[in-house]
Short mmCIF file of all heavy atoms in Angstrom, two decimals:
data_model
loop_
_atom_site.label_atom_id
_atom_site.label_comp_id
_atom_site.label_asym_id
_atom_site.label_seq_id
_atom_site.Cartn_x
_atom_site.Cartn_y
_atom_site.Cartn_z
N THR B 8 7.32 40.41 -25.46
CA THR B 8 5.92 40.00 -25.65
C THR B 8 5.76 38.50 -25.56
O THR B 8 4.83 37.99 -24.94
CB THR B 8 5.40 40.50 -27.01
OG1 THR B 8 5.66 41.89 -27.13
CG2 THR B 8 3.92 40.25 -27.13
N GLY B 38 -3.21 39.81 -21.64
CA GLY B 38 -3.60 41.15 -22.03
C GLY B 38 -3.47 41.42 -23.52
O GLY B 38 -3.44 42.58 -23.95
N ILE B 39 -3.41 40.38 -24.32
CA ILE B 39 -3.36 40.56 -25.76
C ILE B 39 -4.52 39.75 -26.39
O ILE B 39 -5.42 39.32 -25.70
CB ILE B 39 -2.01 40.14 -26.35
CG1 ILE B 39 -1.66 38.72 -25.90
CG2 ILE B 39 -0.92 41.09 -25.92
CD1 ILE B 39 -1.87 37.71 -26.92
N ASN B 40 -4.49 39.55 -27.65
CA ASN B 40 -5.60 38.85 -28.30
C ASN B 40 -5.13 37.57 -29.00
O ASN B 40 -3.93 37.33 -29.15
CB ASN B 40 -6.29 39.78 -29.30
CG ASN B 40 -5.29 40.37 -30.27
OD1 ASN B 40 -4.15 39.91 -30.35
ND2 ASN B 40 -5.69 41.38 -30.99
N ALA B 42 -5.18 36.65 -32.00
CA ALA B 42 -4.43 36.80 -33.25
C ALA B 42 -2.93 36.90 -32.99
O ALA B 42 -2.12 36.39 -33.77
CB ALA B 42 -4.93 38.01 -34.01
N LEU B 43 -2.59 37.55 -31.88
CA LEU B 43 -1.17 37.71 -31.58
C LEU B 43 -0.56 36.39 -31.08
O LEU B 43 0.61 36.11 -31.32
CB LEU B 43 -0.97 38.81 -30.55
CG LEU B 43 0.42 39.45 -30.57
CD1 LEU B 43 0.71 40.05 -31.93
CD2 LEU B 43 0.53 40.50 -29.50
N TYR B 46 0.29 34.79 -34.01
CA TYR B 46 1.40 35.50 -34.67
C TYR B 46 2.74 34.97 -34.14
O TYR B 46 3.68 34.78 -34.90
CB TYR B 46 1.26 37.00 -34.39
CG TYR B 46 2.32 37.88 -35.01
CD1 TYR B 46 2.29 38.23 -36.35
CD2 TYR B 46 3.36 38.37 -34.22
CE1 TYR B 46 3.25 39.04 -36.91
CE2 TYR B 46 4.33 39.18 -34.77
CZ TYR B 46 4.28 39.52 -36.11
OH TYR B 46 5.24 40.33 -36.66
N TYR B 47 2.81 34.72 -32.85
CA TYR B 47 4.07 34.28 -32.25
C TYR B 47 4.18 32.76 -32.14
O TYR B 47 5.18 32.18 -32.53
CB TYR B 47 4.23 34.92 -30.87
CG TYR B 47 4.67 36.35 -30.93
CD1 TYR B 47 3.83 37.39 -30.52
CD2 TYR B 47 5.93 36.69 -31.39
CE1 TYR B 47 4.24 38.71 -30.58
CE2 TYR B 47 6.35 38.00 -31.45
CZ TYR B 47 5.50 39.01 -31.05
OH TYR B 47 5.91 40.30 -31.11
P DA D 5 10.49 43.75 -41.34
OP1 DA D 5 11.68 42.89 -41.24
OP2 DA D 5 9.37 43.39 -42.24
"O5'" DA D 5 9.90 43.97 -39.88
"C5'" DA D 5 10.68 44.67 -38.91
"C4'" DA D 5 9.87 44.88 -37.65
"O4'" DA D 5 8.84 45.88 -37.90
"C3'" DA D 5 9.14 43.63 -37.16
"O3'" DA D 5 9.34 43.52 -35.76
"C2'" DA D 5 7.68 43.88 -37.51
"C1'" DA D 5 7.58 45.39 -37.43
N9 DA D 5 6.57 46.00 -38.30
C8 DA D 5 6.39 45.81 -39.65
N7 DA D 5 5.41 46.50 -40.16
C5 DA D 5 4.89 47.19 -39.07
C6 DA D 5 3.82 48.10 -38.95
N6 DA D 5 3.07 48.48 -39.97
N1 DA D 5 3.58 48.61 -37.71
C2 DA D 5 4.35 48.21 -36.69
N3 DA D 5 5.38 47.37 -36.69
C4 DA D 5 5.60 46.89 -37.92
P DA D 6 8.67 42.33 -34.94
OP1 DA D 6 9.62 41.94 -33.89
OP2 DA D 6 8.16 41.33 -35.90
"O5'" DA D 6 7.44 43.05 -34.25
"C5'" DA D 6 7.67 44.21 -33.47
"C4'" DA D 6 6.37 44.76 -32.92
"O4'" DA D 6 5.56 45.28 -34.01
"C3'" DA D 6 5.49 43.73 -32.19
"O3'" DA D 6 5.03 44.32 -30.99
"C2'" DA D 6 4.36 43.46 -33.16
"C1'" DA D 6 4.24 44.78 -33.89
N9 DA D 6 3.73 44.72 -35.25
C8 DA D 6 4.16 43.93 -36.28
N7 DA D 6 3.53 44.12 -37.42
C5 DA D 6 2.61 45.12 -37.11
C6 DA D 6 1.64 45.79 -37.90
N6 DA D 6 1.43 45.53 -39.18
N1 DA D 6 0.90 46.75 -37.28
C2 DA D 6 1.13 47.01 -35.98
N3 DA D 6 2.02 46.45 -35.15
C4 DA D 6 2.73 45.51 -35.79
P DT D 7 4.25 43.43 -29.90
OP1 DT D 7 4.50 44.02 -28.56
OP2 DT D 7 4.54 42.01 -30.18
"O5'" DT D 7 2.73 43.73 -30.25
"C5'" DT D 7 2.26 45.08 -30.14
"C4'" DT D 7 0.86 45.19 -30.66
"O4'" DT D 7 0.84 45.09 -32.10
"C3'" DT D 7 -0.13 44.13 -30.18
"O3'" DT D 7 -0.96 44.71 -29.17
"C2'" DT D 7 -0.90 43.72 -31.45
"C1'" DT D 7 -0.48 44.78 -32.46
N1 DT D 7 -0.47 44.32 -33.88
C2 DT D 7 -1.31 44.94 -34.76
O2 DT D 7 -2.06 45.83 -34.45
N3 DT D 7 -1.23 44.46 -36.06
C4 DT D 7 -0.41 43.44 -36.53
O4 DT D 7 -0.43 43.11 -37.69
C5 DT D 7 0.45 42.85 -35.54
C7 DT D 7 1.38 41.75 -35.94
C6 DT D 7 0.38 43.31 -34.27
P DT D 8 -2.19 43.96 -28.58
OP1 DT D 8 -2.46 44.47 -27.23
OP2 DT D 8 -2.01 42.51 -28.82
"O5'" DT D 8 -3.34 44.50 -29.54
"C5'" DT D 8 -3.49 45.89 -29.73
"C4'" DT D 8 -4.62 46.17 -30.69
"O4'" DT D 8 -4.25 45.73 -32.02
"C3'" DT D 8 -5.93 45.44 -30.34
"O3'" DT D 8 -6.95 46.38 -30.16
"C2'" DT D 8 -6.17 44.50 -31.53
"C1'" DT D 8 -5.38 45.18 -32.64
N1 DT D 8 -4.88 44.24 -33.69
C2 DT D 8 -5.28 44.38 -34.99
O2 DT D 8 -6.06 45.24 -35.35
N3 DT D 8 -4.75 43.46 -35.87
C4 DT D 8 -3.85 42.45 -35.57
O4 DT D 8 -3.44 41.69 -36.43
C5 DT D 8 -3.47 42.35 -34.18
C7 DT D 8 -2.52 41.29 -33.74
C6 DT D 8 -3.98 43.24 -33.32
P DT D 9 -8.27 46.00 -29.35
OP1 DT D 9 -8.63 47.15 -28.50
OP2 DT D 9 -8.08 44.66 -28.76
"O5'" DT D 9 -9.34 45.88 -30.51
"C5'" DT D 9 -9.37 46.88 -31.54
"C4'" DT D 9 -10.10 46.35 -32.76
"O4'" DT D 9 -9.21 45.50 -33.53
"C3'" DT D 9 -11.34 45.49 -32.45
"O3'" DT D 9 -12.48 46.18 -32.91
"C2'" DT D 9 -11.08 44.17 -33.18
"C1'" DT D 9 -10.02 44.56 -34.21
N1 DT D 9 -9.11 43.46 -34.68
C2 DT D 9 -8.96 43.23 -36.03
O2 DT D 9 -9.53 43.89 -36.88
N3 DT D 9 -8.10 42.21 -36.36
C4 DT D 9 -7.40 41.40 -35.47
O4 DT D 9 -6.67 40.52 -35.88
C5 DT D 9 -7.61 41.69 -34.07
C7 DT D 9 -6.90 40.88 -33.06
C6 DT D 9 -8.44 42.70 -33.75
P DA D 10 -13.93 45.77 -32.42
OP1 DA D 10 -14.75 46.99 -32.33
OP2 DA D 10 -13.81 44.86 -31.26
"O5'" DA D 10 -14.43 44.92 -33.66
"C5'" DA D 10 -14.01 45.27 -34.98
"C4'" DA D 10 -14.17 44.08 -35.89
"O4'" DA D 10 -12.96 43.27 -35.87
"C3'" DA D 10 -15.30 43.12 -35.49
"O3'" DA D 10 -16.31 43.18 -36.47
"C2'" DA D 10 -14.64 41.75 -35.38
"C1'" DA D 10 -13.32 41.94 -36.12
N9 DA D 10 -12.25 41.08 -35.63
C8 DA D 10 -11.90 40.82 -34.34
N7 DA D 10 -10.89 39.99 -34.20
C5 DA D 10 -10.56 39.67 -35.51
C6 DA D 10 -9.56 38.83 -36.06
N6 DA D 10 -8.70 38.14 -35.31
N1 DA D 10 -9.51 38.74 -37.41
C2 DA D 10 -10.38 39.44 -38.14
N3 DA D 10 -11.35 40.25 -37.74
C4 DA D 10 -11.38 40.33 -36.40
P DA D 11 -17.70 42.40 -36.23
OP1 DA D 11 -18.78 43.39 -36.39
OP2 DA D 11 -17.62 41.58 -35.00
"O5'" DA D 11 -17.70 41.41 -37.46
"C5'" DA D 11 -16.96 41.72 -38.64
"C4'" DA D 11 -16.36 40.47 -39.22
"O4'" DA D 11 -15.23 40.05 -38.41
"C3'" DA D 11 -17.30 39.26 -39.25
"O3'" DA D 11 -17.66 38.97 -40.59
"C2'" DA D 11 -16.50 38.13 -38.60
"C1'" DA D 11 -15.09 38.66 -38.59
N9 DA D 11 -14.25 38.12 -37.51
C8 DA D 11 -14.38 38.33 -36.17
N7 DA D 11 -13.48 37.71 -35.43
C5 DA D 11 -12.70 37.05 -36.36
C6 DA D 11 -11.57 36.23 -36.23
N6 DA D 11 -11.03 35.92 -35.06
N1 DA D 11 -11.03 35.74 -37.37
C2 DA D 11 -11.59 36.05 -38.53
N3 DA D 11 -12.65 36.82 -38.79
C4 DA D 11 -13.15 37.30 -37.65
P DC D 12 -18.73 37.86 -40.91
OP1 DC D 12 -19.33 38.21 -42.21
OP2 DC D 12 -19.59 37.69 -39.71
"O5'" DC D 12 -17.88 36.54 -41.11
"C5'" DC D 12 -16.74 36.56 -41.95
"C4'" DC D 12 -15.93 35.30 -41.76
"O4'" DC D 12 -15.22 35.37 -40.50
"C3'" DC D 12 -16.77 34.03 -41.68
"O3'" DC D 12 -16.71 33.34 -42.92
"C2'" DC D 12 -16.14 33.22 -40.55
"C1'" DC D 12 -14.93 34.04 -40.14
N1 DC D 12 -14.65 34.00 -38.67
C2 DC D 12 -13.61 33.21 -38.21
O2 DC D 12 -12.96 32.55 -39.03
N3 DC D 12 -13.33 33.18 -36.88
C4 DC D 12 -14.07 33.91 -36.03
N4 DC D 12 -13.76 33.85 -34.74
C5 DC D 12 -15.13 34.72 -36.48
C6 DC D 12 -15.39 34.74 -37.79
#
Side-chain angles (χ1 to χ4, degrees):
Chain B
T8 308
I39 53 103
N40 53 13
L43 204 59
Y46 180 79
Y47 282 112

